[in-house]
Amino acid sequence: MANEQIKSLSLSSLLAKESRLLKLASEAIPHSFNTCTYDEPGGYIRQAVYLCKTCTADDGTPGKGICAACSVSCHAEHEQLELFPKRNFRCDCPTAAIPVPCTLHKSISGGSKEPPNTDNAYGQNFLGKFCRCGRDYDPTTETETMIQCLACEDWWHESCLHLKGRLVPKSAKSSPTKPRASSPPTAPTEPSSEADIDGIYDEEMDDDDDEEDATLSLIPSSTYDALICGKCVSEIPVLHRWAGTPGARMIIKRRTSLPHVTPGKVDFGGWTVWGEKIETKDEGDIFDVKKRSSSPPSVDASEPPSKKMRTEAGPSVAKVSSCKAPPQDETAQIVLRGVDKRLEGSPSLYSSETSSEDEIIGEGDIFLSEGWRDRWCRCPDCLPLFDKYPYLLEEEETFTPPDDPDSNKSLEELGLRALQTLPRDKALDSIRAFNEMRDDLMNYLRPFAEQGKVVSSNDINEFFEMRKAARSA
């Protein structure tokens, strides 16, 4: 058609584009995928795991996990879902649990397949489901940020963690917030010690043109280092002592607290942060979410000596304990008791709505601030409580495939290297066939160059179809 524009590239531009793509590929995947991790020392390691959906049965049972090398070498043509790192996991590809053969592993027993990995844990991620909402994950359509729990290594939507707020349009009327469908009934606002969020993000909200879609985070991602979901907090006793204390913030909600909707401000649906003071970036204001000082109360000099705080140890002062763990936060314990009730009434936290008869409710998730491993108490009483959870004390090592020495080489370099490994007669045959194809291609393209015509993909396909027909004739 006369008005149809043809997008074309010169040969030099095409080669430059190919070079850029090869460079990007070598930077994105610089590793070698020639060895299955099944044979790694210890077998069960923390590593990137992929779910092969093609090899998963349709009977509702969880699928199996494969290592990065097998995802490339054995299941490249299959539909896969990246599950990211999982601890204590052994690749299932060489086992009888996967129907296709593993091309990277040879069975020591002499059989075609190894026995199933009985020590692997297969949670809901191996059904393709994530978060407490149990929603299917589709990387092509998922738009929400997800955060991995440090303990169970499941992934959680920010909205399901109650992190995301809704920017109220400036055209809206100022009124009390109506309870959301999944929230328990609430009463009109009463005075409380919870923080007022108005004014904290004024500058960002004024600059946002699309007020209907704008959302802000109750706990900005830059202010915490790790997440532990409420189910895991409930199941790990040592965390009960720290939940809701400085450095281990929680998100809670009071049944009797119904904040007003203010046009141009953020509505978090009544959820607020519990656990420590947060300093805002813009003005250095203190956002006091707990109203409890972390330092001892001041002493009034006018008080009688009997009412003053004793600040120096004397003969009558008992020896101070070496334990640095904070006292349990009662608000956090109320939330965790509610989590325990829900866990007792349903198979998992994922299928349960936040519901409790308590005044204070929450999911029990804790957000650990930077340096949290250094803050644990390691006294003789506390340290043994971490024995079953070593990842809480020390950062885990995650397996990384070895670097590929050929990742920076071009296709021409790799082709020449492969040619050098062939026997002499086969190498000569390969060179002869390549030269014939090159000469035929040059003869085929010469008229295009003489007439100034653009070579399309259809023209190239036609060339190879002609060669295929000539060989079969």
Side-chain angles (χ1 to χ4, degrees):
M1 285 181 262
N3 295 331
E4 184 179 2
Q5 294 183 348
I6 300 176
K7 185 178 180 180
S8 62
L9 288 173
S10 65
L11 182 58
S12 59
S13 300
L14 184 62
L15 292 175
K17 181 179 180 181
E18 180 184 329
S19 179
R20 288 195 299 270
L21 290 175
L22 288 172
K23 183 178 180 181
L24 289 174
S26 66
E27 292 174 351
I29 311 177
H31 306 299
S32 174
F33 299 104
N34 298 325
T35 305
C36 174
T37 59
Y38 184 91
D39 297 317
E40 283 296 310
Y44 294 86
I45 58 176
R46 189 172 194 266
Q47 61 178 313
V49 176
Y50 297 77
L51 169 67
C52 183
K53 302 179 77 172
T54 303
C55 294
T56 299
D58 295 330
D59 56 3
T61 57
K64 303 303 178 183
I66 57 177
C67 67
C70 288
S71 73
V72 173
S73 300
C74 310
H75 301 258
E77 303 300 324
H78 294 182
E79 182 183 1
Q80 300 179 38
L81 183 62
E82 185 176 6
L83 303 183
F84 298 91
K86 300 288 183 184
R87 68 174 59 89
N88 300 326
F89 197 91
R90 195 174 198 178
C91 180
D92 286 319
C93 188
T95 73
I98 297 287
V100 300
C102 180
T103 62
L104 302 180
H105 173 80
K106 291 184 179 180
S107 175
I108 300 176
S109 62
S112 59
K113 283 284 188 176
E114 301 287 356
N117 294 318
T118 55
D119 290 342
N120 280 353
Y122 303 98
Q124 67 165 1
N125 292 171
F126 290 87
L127 291 169
K129 299 182 181 297
F130 295 81
C131 189
R132 61 171 52 96
C133 65
R135 194 163 80 202
D136 289 343
Y137 177 72
D138 183 352
T140 62
T141 59
E142 181 63 60
T143 59
E144 191 171 351
T145 299
M146 300 183 72
I147 305 165
Q148 189 176 36
C149 171
L150 176 74
C152 67
E153 298 181 303
D154 198 350
W155 290 83
W156 306 83
H157 300 102
E158 283 189 318
S159 59
C160 295
L161 295 168
H162 305 296
L163 284 172
K164 303 305 290 184
R166 178 182 63 88
L167 183 60
V168 181
K170 292 181 180 179
S171 58
K173 295 181 179 180
S174 178
S175 63
T177 302
K178 294 182 179 180
R180 296 177 182 176
S182 60
S183 302
T186 54
T189 304
E190 296 180 0
S192 71
S193 61
E194 296 179 20
D196 180 5
I197 64 171
D198 293 348
I200 293 182
Y201 298 107
D202 286 351
E203 183 177 346
E204 290 92 335
M205 288 182 279
D206 290 339
D207 292 340
D208 199 319
D209 296 330
D210 191 357
E211 294 182 342
E212 294 290 345
D213 297 332
T215 57
L216 294 170
S217 185
L218 194 55
I219 303 180
S221 59
S222 60
T223 67
Y224 68 92
D225 189 59
L227 160 75
I228 300 181
C229 72
K231 182 174 184 290
C232 293
V233 173
S234 175
E235 294 173 348
I236 302 177
V238 69
L239 295 179
H240 294 198
R241 183 80 174 264
W242 297 84
T245 64
R249 285 171 285 175
M250 303 179 77
I251 294 179
I252 67 168
K253 185 176 185 179
R254 294 182 184 274
R255 286 183 178 276
T256 56
S257 177
L258 183 59
H260 281 72
V261 168
T262 304
K265 306 300 180 183
V266 181
D267 172 24
F268 287 111
W271 296 98
T272 188
V273 182
W274 188 260
E276 67 180 351
K277 293 179 179 180
I278 306 171
E279 184 174 350
T280 61
K281 293 181 179 179
D282 294 336
E283 301 178 1
D285 297 332
I286 296 298
F287 179 31
D288 191 347
V289 300
K290 196 167 182 178
K291 297 294 182 185
R292 187 181 75 177
S293 174
S294 58
S295 58
S298 60
V299 180
D300 189 346
S302 64
E303 291 182 348
S306 61
K307 291 186 178 181
K308 290 184 180 181
M309 176 177 289
R310 188 182 299 273
T311 58
E312 295 182 2
S316 61
V317 178
K319 185 178 179 180
V320 178
S321 170
S322 62
C323 182
K324 298 179 180 178
Q328 282 191 342
D329 183 273
E330 185 53 35
T331 296
Q333 303 314 307
I334 293 172
V335 171
L336 292 176
R337 285 195 291 270
V339 173
D340 290 340
K341 292 177 184 178
R342 296 199 299 276
L343 288 173
E344 292 172 0
S346 67
S348 71
L349 183 65
Y350 310 118
S351 59
S352 173
E353 293 287 343
T354 298
S355 61
S356 172
E357 298 301 322
D358 295 310
E359 160 67 11
I360 302 169
I361 60 175
E363 305 291 357
D365 314 312
I366 63 174
F367 299 83
L368 300 171
S369 302
E370 184 178 1
W372 53 273
R373 283 191 174 96
D374 298 330
R375 289 193 292 270
W376 300 132
C377 176
R378 306 193 184 210
C379 73
D381 293 329
C382 292
L383 189 59
L385 301 177
F386 291 91
D387 287 347
K388 294 182 180 179
Y389 319 102
Y391 54 86
L392 291 177
L393 293 176
E394 302 292 339
E395 186 173 357
E396 297 173 283
E397 181 180 352
T398 302
F399 174 81
T400 302
D403 289 339
D404 183 1
D406 296 332
S407 62
N408 293 321
K409 290 183 170 58
S410 66
L411 294 178
E412 291 80 6
E413 291 174 313
L414 294 175
L416 288 174
R417 173 183 291 183
L419 191 63
Q420 292 170 358
T421 62
L422 294 176
R424 178 177 174 80
D425 56 338
K426 291 187 177 180
L428 291 175
D429 289 341
S430 299
I431 294 173
R432 189 179 301 111
F434 175 81
N435 288 336
E436 289 178 358
M437 184 194 71
R438 179 200 60 193
D439 295 340
D440 289 347
L441 182 59
M442 290 179 65
N443 292 332
Y444 178 78
L445 295 178
R446 185 170 288 110
F448 290 87
E450 293 173 350
Q451 299 172 25
K453 292 177 57 179
V454 174
V455 180
S456 67
S457 58
N458 290 334
D459 296 324
I460 298 300
N461 290 334
E462 181 182 354
F463 167 76
F464 283 103
E465 288 296 330
M466 291 169 52
R467 284 184 56 83
K468 187 186 298 184
R471 285 198 304 269
S472 60

